C-alpha cells in the first residue's frame, strides 16, 4: 500500500512539473495543416510568414516556415480555412477552402511567385483525397455522413460500422479486430469511457448501436469523428481495440439553428418475425424524437455559443412466447402430467408481451472564446437523463424487465495557446458525474424453467437487481506541439482519477433453475424436492446487511512522445512511445482461510502493473513523390484497462463479505431448497430490497469466491498493418490494408479449485450405436472449504488477421460514396472480462478450467466477411428545369446504407453438467469444439429520401422519410444452442445405453431476430 502511494505522489509530481512547463499532454480533437513553401524554381523558402484563418469564427493562427521551408499548424479546430503566405520579394499567396478534419494532416503545397504587377494571388485548395503523412488505419466520418445518411435511433456511433475491421460485439457495443470491449471514446479531447463497464458513458446494459440511450450525446451536436482502427499514434491509449475521437459543433459569427422531429408508429412498420411465425398481429409502437440546436456570436470574432436539446419518447413491445419444444406432449404418467399442467397454469399468464418504454433528455451548452490571436478557450457541458426498461427476449416475462434509470453530467474545459510559431500548447480539464441503476420489477426470485433442454420462460425478478453505481471523475491532460526542422513533435501527459461507488444485491433474492415443467410444478405445489439437475442459488451478506457497497477507485496516468519526421518530401516516419499505468484500490478484505494461504491466494491482493511501455512506429511513403499513391504501414503495442465490474467483484466475493450458497436437486443440502417462489430469507420488502439473514451452515454447500491472480497484469494487443492508398480521381481514393492484431495477457476468469479430470466416461446418442467419450471431474475440490475459486487472470490470448478494403469518394458532383469490405478471422481461447460471477450456470466461462486450450477456436466476434456501402446523391437534374418544374422536382436527395455480412459463431451445448465441474452451461457435445457452428448471414438496406423546401432566404424546411431493413430481410440474431439433452429413460435412449444424449430437434432454430422493417417520418428546419 505504501509503495502504491509513493507511485501516485511521484506521478503527480511529474504531472505538476509538466503543467508548469506547459510541455506535456494530450489533445486529439483537432487537425493539422502543414506543407513546404517553395519559389518558382522549386527551391525552399525559409522565414515565410503564414497565417491561417477559420471562416466560421475568424480565429487566426500564425507561423513561419523553417530553414527547410517546412511549416506546421499542429492544432487547429475542425473547420474550413483560408491560408495567407507572405515573404519579401514574392506576391502574397492566398489559398481558400482548406478543409480540416479531425485527426487529419492536411498538406497544402505553397508555391510563391515573384512580386510584379500582381501583388496577391488567390487560389482554391485542391481536394485532398487521402492523408499523405498518415501511417495508421483510420477513417473520418464527416458531418454530411452523420446528417444525411439514415441511422436508427440517431445513434451516431453506429456509423463506425461503415469502416473496415469493425463488427458488432455479441455482448453489445463495437468490436475492433474481433476483440472484446477494449475500445475508448474521446469527446472533444476528454475521456468519455465508463471505467465500470469499459464502454462509452451511457452504455450500461450493453445496448447495441442503433439503440438510443447508449451515448448521451445528441447527433445534432456532433461535427464529425475519427475512427482509429489499427497502429494509431502514441497520443491515443487506454484501448487495445479502437479509439473513436469525436468533435462537437461550435458557434460562429453567424446565427445558425436547426429543429427536428422524427416520428414512428406501428402503421409504418412491418410485423416482427416472431409475431409472424406465431400468427400474432403487430405490437403497439410509438416513437417521437425531437430537439434542436441554436448557435451564434455573443461578440463577433471573439465569443460564441451553442445550445442543444434532444428528447426521446419511445414505447415498443417485447414479444413473449412460451419456448416449448415443438414435439412437447404431456407425460402419460398422470402424476407427472398433473405437475406439468400446474406449471403451465402458472407460466401461460406470464407469457404475455410487455412494453419497453424509453424516456431520454439530452442537453448541451458550449462556449468558445478567442481571447486573443494566441489563446482559444472552450467550455462544454453535457447533461443527460434517461429511463429505460433494460433487457428483453422472447422467453422473458415482464417480471424480469429491469427498470434502469441513469443520469450523466460532463463538464469539459480546453485551452489552446500559441507561444511561438513553433510552439503550441493544448490543455484539457474535465469533470464527469454519472449514476445508473438496475432495479427489480418483482419480489419473486428469478427462475429459469426448461423443458427438453430448451428455455420455456424466464420469470421473476432479474437476479442482477438491485444494482447501483455512481462515478465521479476528474481529468487533466495537456499537450505541447513543437516543430524543429523536419520534426513535428508532440509530448503529452494525462492524469485521471475515478471515485466509484457500487452497490449490489445480486442473487440476494435467490435464483432457481428447473430442468423440466414437472420439477417446476412440484415446487409450486409446495414440494421442496426438485429433481436431479435442478439448482437453487442464493447470496447472503456476511455482515447482516441487505446488499454490499464497494469502492473500486481507479487512478490512471499516461505520458507519450510522438515525432512526425519528414525524412524526405515523400517519406514520413511516425515514431512514438507511450506509458500507461492503472492503479486500482485493492480489495479491502482478506479471507484468513488456511486453505487459501497454503494455495498462495490472497483475496486482498491486486498487483499494479507498472511496466506498460508501448512503442509505436509507422511510415507513409509516396513513391517518387507521387500524388496518386501512398504506401503506409505501422506497428504498436496498446494496453487495455481493467474494468471495475471485475475489481468490484473481487472486493466482495471473498467468502466473507458475500457468501453464496448453491444447492442441487438430489445432492446433500437439497432439503434446504424452498418451494417457489419462496427464498431462504423470505420475500423482499415492497421496495425490492432483499431481507437480511444469515447464510445456512457451510455443511449445506461451500462458498464460491473470486479474486485476482497474484501475477495479474494489464492485457495488451500488438497491432500492425501494411497497405496502400491510391487516388482514383480528384475526390476518390481506394485503400487496401492487411491488419494484424495479437492479444496477449487478456483478462478472463478460471476456476482453479478443480483437479485434472482423470476419469474417461462414455455416453451414447439416443437411437444410435454412436458412443462419445468425455472426461469428468470426480475428485474433491483441492482447496478445502470452498466451491468455485474464480481467478481473474491475465492468461487469455487472441490472434486476428484481416484484409480491409475501403473506397472513399468525398462529396462532389452531387454525389458521395463510402464502401468497405473486410475479410478476416479471429481465434482466441475465450477472453471475457464480463464472466465475473462465480456461482451458478454461466456460459461465459471456460468449458474446462483445467485445460483452457480446449476453448481455443474462432472468437465469438469472428465474422469472416463484412461489406458496407453508403452513398448520398443529390438529385440536381431539376436545376435545369423551368422555375415552376423546379418547385416540384427540385431539392430531392436520396441516401442509403447497405450491409451484407456472414454470421457469427455459436457452440452446440448439452443441457446438464456433463464434466461435473459445477457449471452446466458450458458443456458441449463431446468431440465438438467451441464455436463450431455459425449463424446465417445477414443483409440490411437502410434508405432515406429527403426534400429541401426553401421558405425564405437562409431558411429551409426538409421533409424526410427513412426506412430501416427496407426489404424486410429475415436476419437471425440468436438460435437454439442446446444440441443434446440428457435422458435416463430407456425408451428415449432406444438402442443406446442409459443414460444417453437425446438430439434436440430444434437445435439451430432461430430464437431471436434483428428488427423487421421500420419506417419513420421527419421534418427538419434549418436557418
Amino acid at each position: 500500500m505504501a509503495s502504491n502511494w509513493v507511485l501516485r505522489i511521484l506521478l503527480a509530481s511529474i504531472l505538476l512539473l509538466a503543467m508548469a512547463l506547459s510541455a506535456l499532454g494530450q489533445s486529439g480533437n483537432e487537425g493539422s495543416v502543414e506543407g513546404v513553401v517553395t519559389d518558382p524554381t522549386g527551391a525552399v523558402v525559409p522565414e515565410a510568414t503564414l497565417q491561417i484563418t477559420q471562416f466560421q469564427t475568424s480565429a487566426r493562427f500564425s507561423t513561419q516556415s523553417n530553414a527547410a521551408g517546412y511549416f506546421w499548424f499542429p492544432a487547429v479546430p475542425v473547420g474550413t480555412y483560408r491560408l495567407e503566405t507572405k515573404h519579401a520579394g514574392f506576391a502574397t499567396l492566398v489559398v481558400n477552402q482548406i478543409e480540416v478534419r479531425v485527426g487529419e494532416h492536411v498538406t497544402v503545397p505553397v508555391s510563391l511567385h515573384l512580386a510584379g504587377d500582381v501583388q496577391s494571388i488567390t487560389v482554391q485548395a485542391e481536394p485532398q483525397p487521402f492523408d499523405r503523412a498518415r501511417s495508421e488505419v483510420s477513417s473520418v466520418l464527416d458531418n454530411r455522413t452523420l446528417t444525411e445518411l439514415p441511422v436508427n435511433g440517431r445513434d451516431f456511433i453506429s456509423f463506425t460500422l461503415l469502416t473496415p475491421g469493425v463488427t458488432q460485439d455479441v455482448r453489445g457495443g463495437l468490436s475492433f479486430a474481433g476483440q472484446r470491449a477494449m475500445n475508448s471514446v474521446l469527446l472533444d479531447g476528454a475521456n468519455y469511457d465508463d471505467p465500470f463497464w469499459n464502454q462509452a458513458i451511457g452504455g450500461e446494459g450493453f445496448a447495441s448501436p442503433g439503440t438510443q440511450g447508449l451515448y448521451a450525446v445528441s447527433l445534432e451536436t456532433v461535427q464529425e469523428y475519427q475512427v482509429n482502427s489499427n497502429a494509431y499514434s502514441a497520443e491515443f491509449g487506454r484501448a487495445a481495440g479502437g479509439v473513436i475521437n469525436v468533435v462537437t459543433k461550435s458557434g460562429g459569427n453567424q446565427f445558425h439553428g436547426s429543429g427536428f422531429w422524427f416520428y414512428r408508429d406501428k402503421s409504418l412498420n412491418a410485423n416482427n418475425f416472431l409475431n409472424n411465425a406465431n400468427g400474432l398481429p403487430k405490437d403497439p409502437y410509438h416513437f417521437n424524437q425531437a430537439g434542436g440546436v441554436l448557435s451564434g456570436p455573443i461578440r463577433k470574432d471573439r465569443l460564441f455559443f451553442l445550445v442543444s436539446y434532444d428528447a426521446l419518447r419511445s414505447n415498443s413491445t417485447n414479444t413473449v412466447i412460451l419456448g416449448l419444444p415443438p414435439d412437447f406432449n404431456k407425460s402419460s404418467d398422470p402424476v407427472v402430467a398433473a405437475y406439468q399442467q400446474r406449471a403451465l397454469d402458472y407460466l401461460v399468464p406470464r407469457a404475455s408481451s410487455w412494453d419497453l418504454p424509453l424516456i431520454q433528455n439530452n442537453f448541451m451548452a458550449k462556449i468558445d472564446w478567442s481571447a486573443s490571436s494566441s489563446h482559444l478557450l472552450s467550455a462544454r457541458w453535457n447533461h443527460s437523463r434517461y429511463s429505460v426498461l433494460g433487457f428483453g427476449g422472447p422467453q422473458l416475462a415482464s417480471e424480469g424487465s429491469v427498470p434502469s434509470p441513469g443520469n450523466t453530467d460532463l463538464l469539459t474545459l480546453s485551452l489552446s495557446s500559441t507561444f511561438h510559431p513553433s510552439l503550441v500548447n493544448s490543455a484539457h480539464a474535465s469533470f464527469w458525474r454519472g449514476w445508473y441503476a438496475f432495479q427489480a420489477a418483482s419480489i419473486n426470485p428469478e427462475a429459469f424453467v426448461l423443458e427438453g433442454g430448451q428455455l420455456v420462460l424466464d420469470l421473476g425478478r432479474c437476479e442482477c437487481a438491485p444494482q447501483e453505481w455512481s462515478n465521479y471523475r476528474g481529468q487533466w491532460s495537456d499537450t505541447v506541439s513543437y516543430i524543429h526542422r523536419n520534426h513535428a513533435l508532440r509530448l503529452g501527459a494525462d492524469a485521471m482519477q475515478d471515485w466509484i461507488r457500487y452497490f449490489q444485491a445480486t442473487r440476494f433474492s435467490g435464483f432457481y433453475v428447473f430442468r423440466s415443467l414437472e420439477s417446476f410444478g412440484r415446487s409450486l405445489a409446495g414440494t421442496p424436492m426438485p429433481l436431479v439437475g435442478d439448482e437453487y442459488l442464493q447470496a447472503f451478506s456476511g455482515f447482516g446487511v441487505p446488499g454490499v457497497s464497494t469502492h473500486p477507485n481507479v487512478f490512471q496516468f499516461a505520458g507519450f512522445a510522438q515525432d512526425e519526421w519528414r525524412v524526405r518530401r515523400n517519406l514520413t516516419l511516425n515514431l512514438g512511445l507511450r506509458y500507461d499505468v492503472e492503479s486500482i484500490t485493492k480489495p479491502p478484505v482478506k479471507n484468513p482461510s488456511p486453505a487459501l494461504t497454503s494455495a498462495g491466494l490472497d483475496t486482498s491482493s491486486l498487483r499494479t502493473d507498472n511496466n506498460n511501455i508501448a512503442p509505436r512506429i509507422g511510415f507513409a511513403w509516396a513513391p517518387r513523390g507521387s500524388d496518386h499513391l501512398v504506401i503506409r504501414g505501422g506497428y504498436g503495442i496498446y494496453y487495455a484497462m481493467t474494468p471495475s465490474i471485475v475489481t468490484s467483484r473481487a472486493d466482495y466475493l471473498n467468502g466473507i463479505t458475500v457468501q453464496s450458497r448453491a444447492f442441487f436437486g438430489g445432492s446433500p443440502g437439497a432439503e434446504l431448497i424452498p418451494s417457489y417462489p419462496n427464498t431462504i430469507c423470505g420475500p423482499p420488502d415492497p421496495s425490492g430490497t432483499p431481507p437480511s439473514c444469515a447464510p445456512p451452515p457451510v455443511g449445506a454447500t461451500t462458498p464460491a469466491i473470486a479474486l485476482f491472480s497474484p501475477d495479474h497484469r494489464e492485457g495488451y494487443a500488438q497491432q500492425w498493418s501494411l497497405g496502400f492508398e491510391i487516388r482514383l480521381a480528384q475526390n476518390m481514393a481506394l485503400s487496401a490494408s492487411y491488419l494484424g492484431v495479437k492479444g496477449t495477457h487478456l483478462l478472463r476468469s478460471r476456476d482453479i479449485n478443480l483437479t485434472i479430470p482423470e476419469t474417461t466416461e462414455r455416453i451414447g446418442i439416443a437411437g444410435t450405436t454412436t458412443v462419445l467419450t468425455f472426461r469428468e471431474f470426480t475428485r474433491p475440490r483441492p482447496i478445502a472449504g470452498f466451491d468455485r475459486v474464480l481467478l481473474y487472470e491475465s492468461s487469455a490470448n487472441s490472434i486476428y488477421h484481416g484484409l480491409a478494403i475501403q473506397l472513399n469518394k468525398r462529396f462532389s458532383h452531387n454525389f458521395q460514396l463510402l464502401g468497405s469490405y473486410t475479410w478476416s478471422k479471429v481465434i482466441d481461447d475465450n477472453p471475457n472480462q464480463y464472466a465475473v460471477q462465480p456461482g451458478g450456470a454461466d456460459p461465459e466461462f471456460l468449458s474446462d478450467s483445467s485445460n483452457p486450450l480446449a476453448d481455443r477456436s474462432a472468437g465469438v466476434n469472428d465474422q469472416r466477411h463484412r461489406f458496407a456501402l453508403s452513398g448520398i446523391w443529390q438529385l440536381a437534374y431539376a436545376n435545369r428545369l423551368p422555375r415552376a418544374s423546379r418547385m416540384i422536382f427540385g431539392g430531392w436527395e436520396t441516401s442509403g446504407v447497405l450491409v451484407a455480412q456472414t454470421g457469427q459463431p455459436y457452440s452446440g451445448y448439452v443441457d446438464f453438467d456433463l464434466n461435473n465441474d459445477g457449471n452446466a452451461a458450458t458443456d458441449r457435445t463431446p468431440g465438438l469444439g467451441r464455436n463450431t457452428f455459425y449463424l446465417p448471414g445477414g443483409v440490411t438496406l437502410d434508405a432515406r429520401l429527403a426534400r429541401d423546401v426553401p421558405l425564405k432566404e437562409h431558411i429551409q424546411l426538409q421533409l424526410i422519410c427513412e426506412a430501416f431493413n427496407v426489404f424486410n430481410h429475415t436476419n437471425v440474431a440468436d438460435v437454439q444452442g442446446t444440441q443434446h439433452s440428457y435422458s435416463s429413460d430407456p425408451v428415449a435412449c432406444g438402442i443406446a445405453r442409459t443414460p444417453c444424449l437425446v438430439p434436440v430437434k430444434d437445435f439451430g432454430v432461430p430464437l431471436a431476430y434483428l428488427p423487421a422493417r421500420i419506417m419513420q417520418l421527419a421534418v427538419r428546419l434549418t436557418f
Side-chain angles (χ1 to χ4, degrees), residues 72 128 136 176 178 184 230 273 310 325 501 504 529 569 591 602 606 625 691 702 777 833 850 880 882 933 954:
W72 184 39
Q128 180 175 300
E136 75 273 10
F176 285 75
S184 182
N230 186 284
F273 304 112
D310 191 327
R501 176 187 177 270
Q504 72 84 30
M529 298 190 319
R569 291 190 186 181
N591 192 312
D602 182 352
L606 177 53
T702 52
F777 294 94
Q833 59 192 6
S850 69
R880 299 187 296 270
F933 306 95
H954 305 305

Side-chain angles (χ1 to χ4, degrees), residues 170 228 244 392 456 530 542 556 685 910 996:
V170 296
N228 295 279
I244 297 173
V456 178
Q556 299 180 65
D685 64 25
V910 297
C996 69

